[in-house]
Amino acid sequence: MSSDQFGVHKWHIFKFILLIFMIGGVNCDLTISTLGPSLVNTTVGSNVTLVVTISGVPDPVITWKMGSLPVVTWTLGSSVAPDIAIIHRDVLKIETDGSLTFQNVSFAYSNTYTVEIVKSGFKTVSATFVLKVYDYIRNVSVNTEPADALEGAEKFTLQYSTLQGEADQWRWYFNSVEIQNNSHYTVGQKSLVIHQPNRNDTGPYTLVLTNPFSTVTFHRKITVLYGPDEPMLGASPSQAFFVSGDTLSLSCQAEGVPQPSTSWMFGGQTLPVSQGGSLNLTNVQTSQGGIYTCVLVNVNTGAQRKRNLTVNVYESPTASPLCSVSAVNGNVDLQFHCRWPGGTPEALLSFPALTNATSGAGDVNLTIPASQDLNGKMVLCRANHPLRQTRCNITASPTISDSSLFPNQNGTIVTMTWEVPPTSVITGFDIQMSGPDLLTVTKNGSRRKRAIEGFRSIQQRPGSSRSTDISVLDPKSTYYFRVIPIAGRTQGEPSAMQRIGPGGLSRPQIIGLAVGIPCGLLFLLLLIGLIYLCVYCCRKKRQQNRYPVPRAVEKVVSTQPDVNTPNHLLTGGLKPLPDYNRMTSQAAPAERSIPLPTFVAPPPVRTATIV
């Protein structure tokens, strides 16, 4: 072989070796792979290994990081012990293939683990694992904040806790329906928030906690406190008012949780109530009528509500309404007055014939102009009370009820008084006199009088007057006085005549005697006739009832000897007793209209007369 051929051969061998090295360089890249899932779940206290496979180059440097902190460093295949952090030496162990083993793992090692492979001249490669350490879920509890759910509160929170184990899934249910996040509910990692809870949120709540090794279900009943709501008030029996002496019961009920307590107040005092919150009133009086206050209290929340109930207790006025009328405002107006005192409430009074716009309770006055149309007109006062309706009436007319005359000691001056009934309407009085004219005084001081027949006016008095003085009378003359009531232009009936004068009888007395004497004589004749009739009847009856003389008596009388001195005591002799049985059978029909008792004669006796 020539030298040139040898050189060419050597060049081809070099290229082949270079090609082999080039191919070997590709196959010797540093690689790492994981066996199994990157998420590793385990239970506390167990042993677990994060398994990796490293290839491509010999003796690479392996570093395991817990989070971002290196915990183990070692050169693969080296006889030198791995560099493990002191705090982890009891738990962590690196295997000969570079895998990381956890011994008796605790919750603290739940983390992300990264393994890095480094070799000079090669690209660094890595792999990541997630290790989660669980425990079996036990002893679940749910607490609330605040302790009680209140209707209308801002929020109510249910928060769970476990004595052992953690859950990676949690679900809340209400009435077996899963709760989702919305405006009313917020489902958190460890809590459930109820926004503005209401009574409809009362019910059973269920919590389901799950991790890869256990599932636990917990139930909690939540009661939303509310109330008292608007109460329902009532009286039994149900009626608009009650009468004195009635018995009634007041009730007050309202919804709430818990059931609100009920109390009643009247006049600032708390009244005893029966079971159920009813207030019983027996023999109720008018003083017990008024406003009763029902107080409802939620003993858990302190919320309360008050409502009033009016109880009307009525009592009828006593007696009857009183009507009167009088002249007012200078006797140009008439004031009608109606009064009906007492009663609860006071009676409503009105004069419907005069006006429909004026009325009063218990007492009403109505003033209207006096007119001739009202003279003698009956005006009605209507009195309305819930328990009784009645009326009274009044007739406006000038009337005088009584009058009197009081002379002075000399008989020259008299004071005349008069009375006016309540129903009389008076604007003035006309004082009239009959008899000699009043004495007058002449220029020379002498007195003279004129005789005038009939009544004539001597004074005019206002409607408010009830007396007047009449002077310059002749004590030796007889005068008659009277008063005529006046209402506007209407004159009423005059009062009784009053007489004053020396001795004698007054005209009324004379008239009384003239009427009384014949009446007295007639009465005397009737009395005499009655006495005579009584005497006559008595004599006739005495003659019919004479008794016959018994035979024994007749025998004794017939055997008496004659004596010189006559015995006038028995001159009439004795008659036998009558036989009433025979008399009864022989009596006339008119006399036997009434049955007489059967007469039984007594046994015969001897009678002797000693002279």
Side-chain angles (χ1 to χ4, degrees):
M1 179 180 295
S2 63
S3 59
D4 292 334
Q5 291 179 341
F6 180 77
V8 171
H9 182 71
K10 287 176 60 177
W11 170 246
H12 286 292
I13 294 173
F14 176 76
K15 290 194 295 183
F16 177 76
I17 294 173
L18 181 61
L19 180 61
I20 292 174
F21 273 102
M22 290 179 63
I23 296 173
V26 172
N27 293 333
C28 292
D29 284 345
L30 184 61
T31 62
I32 186 172
S33 61
T34 61
L35 297 179
S38 60
L39 174 62
V40 178
N41 295 323
T42 188
T43 59
V44 65
S46 62
N47 298 331
V48 63
T49 300
L50 304 180
V51 180
V52 294
T53 300
I54 302 171
S55 62
V57 296
D59 306 326
V61 178
I62 302 173
T63 302
W64 283 93
K65 293 182 179 180
M66 182 179 178
S68 60
L69 299 177
V71 291
V72 177
T73 302
W74 185 58
T75 300
L76 184 66
S78 173
S79 60
V80 180
D83 183 12
I84 302 175
I86 298 176
I87 61 174
H88 300 296
R89 288 178 182 176
D90 294 338
V91 177
L92 300 181
K93 175 185 176 182
I94 192 167
E95 302 294 338
T96 58
D97 61 353
S99 299
L100 183 64
T101 297
F102 297 81
Q103 299 175 346
N104 193 21
V105 68
S106 65
F107 291 114
Y109 288 90
S110 291
N111 214 320
T112 300
Y113 292 87
T114 303
V115 57
E116 293 182 351
I117 309 299
V118 179
K119 182 67 176 181
S120 179
F122 291 88
K123 182 179 179 181
T124 301
V125 295
S126 64
T128 301
F129 293 86
V130 175
L131 178 63
K132 290 186 176 182
V133 182
Y134 294 94
D135 200 355
Y136 294 99
I137 302 172
R138 291 184 176 91
N139 298 329
V140 179
S141 63
V142 174
N143 298 320
T144 59
E145 179 62 33
D148 294 321
L150 304 181
E151 187 175 56
E154 181 180 357
K155 64 180 181 178
F156 179 71
T157 303
L158 292 85
Q159 189 169 9
Y160 79 86
S161 62
T162 60
L163 188 62
Q164 177 180 312
E166 290 293 334
D168 57 359
Q169 291 184 7
W170 46 87
R171 296 185 300 273
W172 292 90
Y173 297 84
F174 176 61
N175 287 330
S176 302
V177 178
E178 186 174 359
I179 298 174
Q180 305 294 333
N181 281 313
N182 52 43
S183 60
H184 191 58
Y185 297 108
T186 298
V187 180
Q189 181 177 358
K190 286 184 173 291
S191 64
L192 170 65
V193 178
I194 305 174
H195 301 282
Q196 295 182 344
N198 57 66
R199 66 193 66 184
N200 295 326
D201 294 318
T202 297
Y205 286 78
T206 302
L207 170 65
V208 178
L209 299 177
T210 304
N211 66 24
F213 302 97
S214 63
T215 298
V216 176
T217 301
F218 183 84
H219 302 280
R220 175 73 182 267
K221 183 177 181 180
I222 299 300
T223 300
V224 179
L225 307 181
Y226 66 91
D229 288 347
E230 188 66 24
M232 296 288 294
L233 282 76
S236 179
S238 179
Q239 54 195 52
F241 60 86
F242 299 90
V243 182
S244 294
D246 283 353
T247 296
L248 62 142
S249 177
L250 305 182
S251 61
C252 180
Q253 297 179 349
E255 293 293 331
V257 173
Q259 183 65 36
S261 65
T262 305
S263 61
W264 286 91
M265 297 186 65
F266 179 72
Q269 295 183 349
T270 301
L271 305 177
V273 298
S274 61
Q275 186 176 5
S278 296
L279 176 63
N280 297 320
L281 302 175
T282 59
N283 191 24
V284 67
Q285 302 299 314
T286 56
S287 59
Q288 294 175 274
I291 298 176
Y292 287 77
T293 302
C294 171
V295 181
L296 296 163
V297 178
N298 188 316
V299 294
N300 284 29
T301 65
Q304 69 173 11
R305 192 184 293 266
K306 296 181 179 181
R307 288 295 180 268
N308 295 331
L309 177 64
T310 301
V311 176
N312 297 316
V313 181
Y314 292 166
E315 187 175 56
S316 178
T318 58
S320 298
L322 302 175
C323 293
S324 64
V325 62
S326 59
V328 295
N329 302 329
N331 299 320
V332 298
D333 294 331
L334 296 181
Q335 186 179 69
F336 290 86
H337 182 207
C338 186
R339 180 172 179 266
W340 196 15
T344 303
E346 291 184 313
L348 186 64
L349 308 176
S350 62
F351 293 99
L354 301 179
T355 179
N356 293 325
T358 302
S359 61
D363 196 312
V364 62
N365 290 290
L366 178 62
T367 302
I368 60 175
S371 64
Q372 186 63 30
D373 296 338
L374 295 175
N375 183 36
K377 177 181 179 180
M378 180 182 293
V379 177
L380 175 70
C381 172
R382 182 177 296 165
N384 291 328
H385 187 270
L387 301 179
R388 180 184 173 193
Q389 289 76 43
T390 185
R391 63 184 64 185
C392 66
N393 55 71
I394 183 173
T395 301
S397 61
T399 307
I400 293 178
S401 59
D402 190 17
S403 63
S404 301
L405 201 63
F406 302 96
N408 66 348
Q409 186 175 3
N410 299 327
T412 58
I413 300 175
V414 295
T415 299
M416 190 172 188
T417 63
W418 57 90
E419 299 293 335
V420 176
T423 58
S424 180
V425 180
I426 304 295
T427 60
F429 297 97
D430 184 14
I431 313 302
Q432 295 185 349
M433 182 187 73
S434 174
D437 199 0
L438 299 177
L439 294 177
T440 57
V441 179
T442 60
K443 295 181 179 179
N444 57 10
S446 61
R447 296 184 179 184
R448 58 184 177 84
K449 60 181 179 179
R450 295 174 298 166
I452 299 177
E453 296 295 334
F455 281 96
R456 59 195 179 278
S457 298
I458 59 174
Q459 288 184 12
Q460 300 290 330
R461 305 297 297 168
S464 58
S465 297
R466 295 297 181 267
S467 66
T468 185
D469 292 334
I470 305 171
S471 59
V472 198
L473 299 177
D474 183 3
K476 298 180 180 179
S477 300
T478 299
Y479 299 90
Y480 297 91
F481 299 94
R482 68 181 184 183
V483 180
I484 297 179
I486 299 174
R489 298 180 180 180
T490 303
Q491 290 187 352
E493 293 293 328
S495 66
M497 291 185 299
Q498 302 294 333
R499 175 188 177 279
I500 184 175
L505 298 175
S506 63
R507 290 183 181 180
Q509 291 173 337
I510 295 174
I511 295 174
L513 289 176
V515 175
I517 290 175
C519 292
L521 291 175
L522 179 60
F523 176 75
L524 184 59
L525 291 175
L526 292 174
L527 181 61
I528 294 173
L530 181 61
I531 293 173
Y532 175 79
L533 181 61
C534 292
V535 172
Y536 174 78
C537 291
C538 290
R539 287 182 178 179
K540 186 175 181 181
K541 184 177 180 180
R542 187 176 300 171
Q543 291 175 0
Q544 293 177 354
N545 294 338
R546 288 184 178 179
Y547 295 96
V549 179
R551 295 180 180 179
V553 176
E554 292 179 353
K555 184 176 181 181
V556 172
V557 173
S558 61
T559 56
Q560 286 182 354
D562 294 336
V563 293
N564 296 329
T565 304
N567 186 357
H568 300 284
L569 295 176
L570 299 175
T571 55
L574 295 176
K575 294 182 179 181
L577 295 175
D579 188 353
Y580 288 101
N581 295 331
R582 182 177 300 174
M583 293 175 62
T584 302
S585 61
Q586 296 178 355
E591 296 174 349
R592 288 186 285 109
S593 59
I594 299 177
L596 297 176
T598 303
F599 176 76
V600 179
V605 295
R606 293 183 179 274
T607 304
T609 303
I610 301 174
V611 181

